[in-house]
Structure formats: structure tokens, C-alpha cells
Amino acid sequence: MSRRRRIYEGKAKVLYEGPEPGTLIQHFKDDATAFNAKKHQVIEGKGVLNNRISEYLFQHLNDIGVPTHFIRRLNMREQLIREVEIVPLEVVVRNVAAGSLSQRLGIEEGTQLPRSIIEFYYKNDQLNDPMVSEEHVTAFGWATPQEIDDIMALAIRVNDFLTGLFLGIGIRLVDFKMECGRLFENEMMRIIVADEISPDSCRLWDIKSNEKLDKDRFRRDLGGLVEAYTEVAKRLGILMENERPVGAGPVLVKG
């Protein structure tokens, strides 16, 4: 690993130079962060679970014709991905009031929204990723009007797919964060889904109990993050009932 050229390191992942031009290797770390990394902890096995869950979701998106950067999983912590130019926006799709939306607008958490809402946040850690409008996005050249249309169309398709998928395994997709990138192929450029989709970037609640199966377990000091992510992986069929991911440490058994 030390011989590979590191391209970028974020809070939860590292990107390395890929084996072929136009590819990168995405490595999932065990770091858990919240509140723009003001809260930080290394949780053994988190990266393994996010890698497996994100692989599953991206592969299914590819299969239904939603373009993504995912090519294939290489090992327990790494994926081969297409190299893209990341659009500096976090795209948040909300189906149910929770988190910052509830705080900003005084809407009780768990309230079903009249319709899905798409929000944009400018990717800038120093500014704490401020929420921005389409006017800001186009005025400052972060994306063109056509790119915004493409991003929103992708967000709607991903939301429709994820909502149905999780509903089928007894999980409510409250909201999720998505990132997009520009993929350059010859003279063509298209917008595709990038980064990851995992319990780190989604709010996932058990339909019956409303138990949180996502990173809010870390944000809100609820504990049991690996157990929650493992539960999501088992419901998706990624892990067998008695299996635990390599490097995930002991899993607490209820009962």
C-alpha cells in the first residue's frame, strides 16, 4: 500500500492511483467523524461494512442504468472506481424530516415530508459545508444549469431505487447524501454518481421500531454502530445471519 501514489485522503476514505489510466482505488477507513470532524473515533470494521454495502448499492444502480463511478470491489476495504472530477456539491435528498431540517424549520423528527426535497450544500470543510441554492451554484460556476438538471434527475432515480430497496427489507430511507462527478470519455462528458452510498451517508430507520441503523448512532452517542451497519448488511443479504465482517471486532448478540 505504501508504494501506491495517494491522490486524496478524506475523513472516511483514501483515493490511490489506479492500475489503469482513468481509474482510482477507493479505500474505506474505519474512521467515524461527525460535526465536520470535530467528533472523531476509529471504529474497527466500519470501513469493511461500508465497502460491502456501497458495492452492493452501486452495482445495483449500474444494473438498472444509473451511471456510477463503481467498477468492482477489489478486497474487503477497497474498490476500483472510475476517476471523475467531483462536482463540489453535496446533494441531500430528504423523504422524512430529521437532523438539520428538523432543527432549521422546527419540524418534528419522523414527520413524512409532502414530497421528497433535494438540497445542495457547498463542499467546503472550512465553511462547514453551507447550504446553497441553485442560484449560488450557477453564479459561482460550481455546476451549469444543465449539470444541475442532470444531478437532480440522478438524485430522483437513486432515491426511488433506494426507497423501494430498503422498504423491502423493513428499513425506512429517511434521507441520504449523494455526490456526483464529471466523467470525461473522449470528447464527451457526463454526470455520474460518485463517492459512496452507505449507512455513513444515509439515515436508515427500522420501519417497526424506528431504531436508527446509520451514523446517527455515532453522532448522538447511541453506541452499537458496527452492530447497526451489520444489521443493514444482513438484511441486504451481503452477510449471512451468523457472519460478521472480517476486522469488525466482536458483534454483540441480543437476547
Side-chain angles (χ1 to χ4, degrees):
M1 189 177 293
S2 60
R3 297 177 185 175
R4 299 187 301 191
R5 187 162 71 92
R6 184 177 303 195
I7 305 297
Y8 168 81
E9 180 165 2
K11 293 188 281 285
K13 294 183 295 295
V14 184
L15 295 179
Y16 294 98
E17 189 174 43
E20 301 168 3
T23 66
L24 296 172
I25 294 172
Q26 181 167 255
H27 175 95
F28 288 75
K29 302 193 293 185
D30 282 339
D31 296 59
T33 63
F35 315 117
N36 203 15
K38 292 181 177 67
K39 182 176 183 179
H40 175 260
Q41 186 178 337
V42 175
I43 301 178
E44 185 181 1
K46 183 179 85 74
V48 173
L49 286 158
N50 280 345
N51 182 28
R52 296 288 299 276
I53 293 170
S54 194
E55 170 205 13
Y56 181 92
L57 298 177
F58 270 83
Q59 186 59 63
H60 278 70
L61 287 170
N62 285 342
D63 290 345
I64 64 169
V66 176
T68 80
H69 72 167
F70 177 80
I71 300 174
R72 67 179 182 274
R73 181 168 62 87
L74 298 174
N75 53 51
M76 295 303 288
R77 290 189 178 274
E78 295 181 331
Q79 301 176 354
L80 183 67
I81 60 172
R82 294 176 179 85
E83 184 175 13
V84 299
E85 178 186 283
I86 290 291
V87 177
L89 297 172
E90 293 183 349
V91 184
V92 175
V93 183
R94 300 183 183 274
N95 302 309
V96 177
S100 63
L101 180 71
S102 292
Q103 294 166 9
R104 287 197 316 265
L105 303 181
I107 301 173
E108 184 179 358
E109 274 209 337
T111 302
Q112 185 72 37
L113 298 175
R115 62 177 177 82
S116 299
I117 294 173
I118 299 176
E119 299 174 340
F120 295 109
Y121 295 81
Y122 176 45
K123 274 176 62 67
N124 187 308
D125 286 343
Q126 285 74 35
L127 301 175
N128 294 318
D129 303 324
M131 186 177 176
V132 294
S133 69
E134 292 182 40
E135 287 290 312
H136 294 104
V137 175
T138 55
F140 295 113
W142 300 325
T144 66
Q146 181 58 58
E147 287 174 336
I148 292 174
D149 288 347
D150 292 345
I151 289 169
M152 292 183 73
L154 283 175
I156 291 167
R157 290 185 68 191
V158 172
N159 186 50
D160 286 347
F161 166 73
L162 292 180
T163 298
L165 176 75
F166 284 121
L167 184 63
I169 56 172
I171 293 175
R172 191 181 190 191
L173 178 65
V174 173
D175 57 42
F176 70 95
K177 181 199 74 154
M178 187 182 87
E179 295 189 21
C180 292
R182 299 179 180 95
L183 178 65
F184 295 91
E185 296 172 314
N186 300 320
E187 301 300 314
M188 299 290 290
M189 186 281 293
R190 57 180 175 144
I191 297 292
I192 67 172
V193 181
D195 192 47
E196 69 176 297
I197 301 176
S198 73
D200 264 15
S201 58
C202 303
R203 278 194 173 90
L204 303 170
W205 295 357
D206 180 84
I207 285 176
K208 292 181 180 177
S209 67
N210 279 336
E211 181 182 5
K212 294 174 174 58
L213 302 173
D214 55 67
K215 200 166 79 168
D216 271 349
R217 302 205 69 85
F218 174 71
R219 291 188 191 97
R220 303 183 184 189
D221 297 315
L222 300 175
L225 180 136
V226 165
E227 290 83 357
Y229 287 25
T230 300
E231 177 65 19
V232 173
K234 285 180 177 177
R235 292 197 197 184
L236 289 170
I238 299 168
L239 296 178
M240 299 302 290
E241 189 56 38
N242 296 318
E243 184 185 358
R244 64 182 180 85
V246 176
V251 174
L252 300 179
V253 178
K254 296 179 180 177

